[in-house]
Amino acid sequence: MRILLTGSSGWLGSALAPLLRGIGHEVIGIDPVPSAETRIVGSIADRDLVMRAVGENRIDAIIHSGALHKPNIESHANSDFIAANVQGTLNLLDAAVAANVQRFVFTSTTSLMISQAIRDGFKGGARKAAWLTEAMSPEPRNIYGVTKLSAEHLCRLYHLRHGLPVVVLRTARFFPEADDMAHAIEQSDANTKANELLFRRLTVDDAAQAHVAALEKAPELGFDIFIVCAQTPFQPDDCADLIADAPSVVARYFPGFPALYARKGWTMFPSIDRVYDASRARDRLGFACRTSFADVLAALAAEDGT
């Protein structure tokens, strides 16, 4: 297929473009920032540019991974988020319908699932971790989440009105940067990312593979939304204990983890406040992340020669 990939200069786009080419697709990247993966330098908020890019390149499928993200809140106005994340998505959907594009994959975020009420519960000593699935009704707490949820609604609307097959992927964390609250976290960056694979992280390679799976399944699914995250070992019944004493819960599932962490000088978070359940993506999309917390432990064991 000839695929228009937005955000082609970004972290995900840079991993996704070569993966798509490797399985035989032609990739036309579009991004405001020039890069080796970007053929069209410009913003998806530019409607004429988007219409030309889709029409003139005879695009078969669109993977829309470009956006302003949560870290951009400090440097961009709300109107910038509306332009990039909402108007940009609308432009792409209109271009897709006009050009009879047959598949549309939208990169959304699990961030929009954390309401202010849930956030306040985390800060105020929640009695149990939040177990988060696609069945919940999101109430995003910032302009990033609001615009991503609005874009999801547009995707649903264009499926209903025009029959456009759309798969929305609510990806958990896969960014390479340190957590924006790193100053308040005792663990090192590598330790933090390893811990998060238990409940709210995936690798960028797995994120890219999820988009390939969504691209292939879109016509069959019609419209659907999936959480994409490394498979958690936890169950809903663990949520109270995860808040009270996360290391003991992790040790139930991975008895060898305390010794491996001790030799590395790592520690587990004392409390885990949320768990993203990616089982629906496994069951309906047929996708499960390849890298999990178990792989981290295997790597640590290999370092020790155990």
Side-chain angles (χ1 to χ4, degrees):
M1 290 181 285
R2 296 171 63 84
I3 299 171
L4 184 72
L5 173 64
T6 74
S8 51
S9 298
W11 179 238
L12 175 59
S14 297
L16 186 50
L19 177 62
L20 291 167
R21 286 198 304 272
I23 56 179
H25 301 302
E26 180 178 353
V27 181
I28 295 91
I30 181 170
D31 197 292
V33 178
S35 80
E37 301 296 352
T38 296
R39 187 183 303 183
I40 302 169
V41 177
S43 171
I44 58 171
D46 183 337
R47 185 176 181 81
D48 290 339
L49 177 66
V50 169
M51 298 300 287
R52 290 197 306 273
V54 174
E56 294 176 3
N57 288 287
R58 306 186 309 281
I59 296 299
D60 301 303
I62 294 173
I63 299 180
H64 177 23
S65 68
L68 285 180
H69 298 282
K70 184 183 174 186
N72 300 122
I73 291 175
E74 294 182 2
S75 58
H76 289 71
N78 287 351
S79 56
D80 296 330
F81 277 84
I82 297 293
N85 295 358
V86 181
Q87 185 63 54
T89 302
L90 179 64
N91 292 341
L92 289 161
L93 290 166
D94 279 336
V97 170
N100 197 32
V101 168
Q102 294 302 303
R103 303 161 198 246
F104 195 105
V105 178
F106 174 54
T107 312
S108 191
T109 173
T110 54
S111 178
L112 64 79
M113 302 174 71
I114 305 300
S115 67
Q116 192 59 51
I118 292 176
R119 173 67 70 188
D120 291 344
F122 296 160
K123 294 178 180 177
R127 288 179 294 178
K128 64 180 183 178
W131 188 267
L132 300 168
T133 74
E134 297 88 345
M136 69 178 294
S137 297
E139 296 177 2
R141 68 189 188 281
N142 55 39
I143 189 64
Y144 172 54
V146 166
T147 54
K148 294 298 276 189
L149 182 58
S150 296
E152 286 189 10
H153 287 322
L154 284 172
C155 289
R156 185 189 300 273
L157 177 65
Y158 271 62
H159 169 68
L160 292 173
R161 292 287 179 86
H162 304 286
L164 178 66
V166 184
V167 176
V168 175
L169 301 179
R170 289 184 181 167
T171 56
R173 297 178 174 198
F174 59 84
F175 51 77
E177 299 85 5
D179 189 284
D180 57 3
M181 291 296 292
H183 61 278
I185 299 173
E186 294 181 6
Q187 288 75 15
S188 68
D189 183 54
N191 188 173
T192 294
K193 288 180 167 61
N195 291 354
E196 288 180 341
L197 281 171
L198 285 161
F199 64 102
R200 67 171 180 187
R201 179 169 285 277
L202 69 160
T203 66
V204 68
D205 291 334
D206 277 334
Q209 290 286 353
H211 285 71
V212 172
L215 186 72
E216 293 173 351
K217 208 74 176 289
E220 176 186 336
L221 292 172
F223 178 87
D224 218 328
I225 297 174
F226 299 101
I227 291 171
V228 182
C229 185
Q231 293 290 312
T232 183
F234 305 135
Q235 299 296 322
D237 288 347
D238 294 321
C239 286
D241 290 342
L242 284 170
I243 282 286
D245 184 3
S248 69
V249 182
V250 179
R252 280 184 223 154
Y253 291 95
F254 303 99
F257 115 83
L260 289 169
Y261 261 43
R263 287 197 285 271
K264 183 71 172 178
W266 282 3
T267 57
M268 180 51 60
F269 300 142
S271 179
I272 289 175
D273 57 19
R274 79 200 73 175
V275 179
Y276 292 111
D277 179 357
S279 60
R280 193 167 185 277
R282 179 196 63 212
D283 297 340
R284 184 161 167 78
L285 182 60
F287 173 80
C289 291
R290 296 178 180 177
T291 301
S292 68
F293 184 71
D295 296 295
V296 171
L297 298 185
L300 294 181
E303 287 180 11
D304 291 342
T306 57

